[in-house]
């Protein structure tokens, strides 16, 4: 299963970055490739999100569960419904000594078409890496 991991250092304290990362309803405004994002359900330290994202000209839709770990500045997510066979990962925020924050976004995915995986996985990996990096850079602004 391919793994994409990107990291960015943001010039803000971890608590402020945590608030921005958790404000998922602002993602469509901040991130051009996120067309819509809707909170379907919210509970204690979890939420279900419905995503619609443009990934290199392809429209992707899915529902994911996010498990929030505010004491660790971590969000773990996994697709419940969607077009990929598997889609999961995490956001991890790390406070740095100079009041900056290192943000890591990790994505594991499986296309789910064994005969096409060798051809499609590198293309999907590149697109997911580009979109993930764009997401992190939009948080820095």
């Amino acid at each position: 299963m391919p793994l994409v991991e990107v990291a960015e250092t943001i010039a803000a304290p971890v608590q402020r970055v945590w608030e921005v990362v958790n404000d998922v309803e602002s993602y469509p405004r901040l991130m051009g490739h996120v067309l819509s994002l809707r909170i379907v359900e919210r509970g204690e330290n979890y939420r279900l999100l419905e995503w619609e994202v443009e990934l290199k000209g392809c429209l992707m839709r899915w529902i994911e569960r996010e498990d929030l770990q505010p004491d660790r500045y971590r969000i773990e997510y996994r697709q419940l419904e969607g077009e990929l066979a598997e889609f999961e990962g995490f956001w991890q925020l790390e406070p740095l000594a100079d009041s900056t924050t290192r943000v890591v976004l990790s994505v594991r995915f499986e296309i789910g078409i064994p005969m096409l995986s060798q051809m499609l996985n590198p293309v999907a990996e590149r697109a997911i890496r580009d979109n993930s990096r764009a997401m992190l850079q939009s948080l820095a602004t």
Side-chain angles (χ1 to χ4, degrees):
M1 187 161 42
L3 170 67
V4 173
E5 202 164 275
V6 295
E8 188 83 25
T9 299
I10 297 176
V14 70
Q15 189 58 43
R16 186 164 150 239
V17 177
W18 179 251
E19 290 168 8
V20 173
V21 167
N22 274 292
D23 184 13
V24 294
E25 292 165 308
S26 71
Y27 284 14
R29 184 174 38 82
L30 296 174
M31 304 169 190
H33 63 280
V34 178
L35 304 178
S36 70
L37 192 148
R38 185 173 69 89
I39 298 175
V40 176
E41 182 180 322
R42 190 187 310 244
E44 187 174 340
N45 291 326
Y46 85 92
R47 60 189 169 209
L48 300 182
L49 304 176
E50 183 178 62
W51 290 79
E52 186 175 80
V53 173
E54 181 186 340
L55 191 65
K56 296 291 184 194
C58 295
L59 186 62
M60 302 285 295
R61 293 184 181 112
W62 71 93
I63 295 176
E64 74 183 26
R65 178 187 169 102
E66 291 189 339
D67 293 306
L68 311 172
Q69 301 170 26
D71 56 324
R72 296 178 57 211
Y73 301 110
R74 184 175 178 92
I75 301 170
E76 294 180 358
Y77 63 87
R78 69 183 181 287
Q79 174 187 273
L80 300 177
E81 296 175 28
E83 296 158 349
L84 296 175
E86 293 186 46
F87 184 76
E88 63 187 26
F90 64 85
W91 290 80
Q92 180 67 60
L93 280 60
E94 301 170 22
L96 302 177
D98 59 354
S99 292
T100 62
T101 303
R102 182 171 187 263
V103 181
V104 176
L105 177 56
S106 180
V107 180
R108 269 189 202 281
F109 69 94
E110 185 59 53
I111 290 179
I113 306 170
M115 294 177 64
L116 297 178
S117 289
Q118 282 188 329
M119 182 177 67
L120 295 179
N121 279 350
V123 174
E125 184 176 340
R126 200 168 25 259
I128 289 171
R129 182 175 308 282
D130 291 348
N131 275 18
S132 296
R133 188 162 309 286
M135 288 179 80
L136 292 186
Q137 289 171 347
S138 71
L139 295 176
T141 58

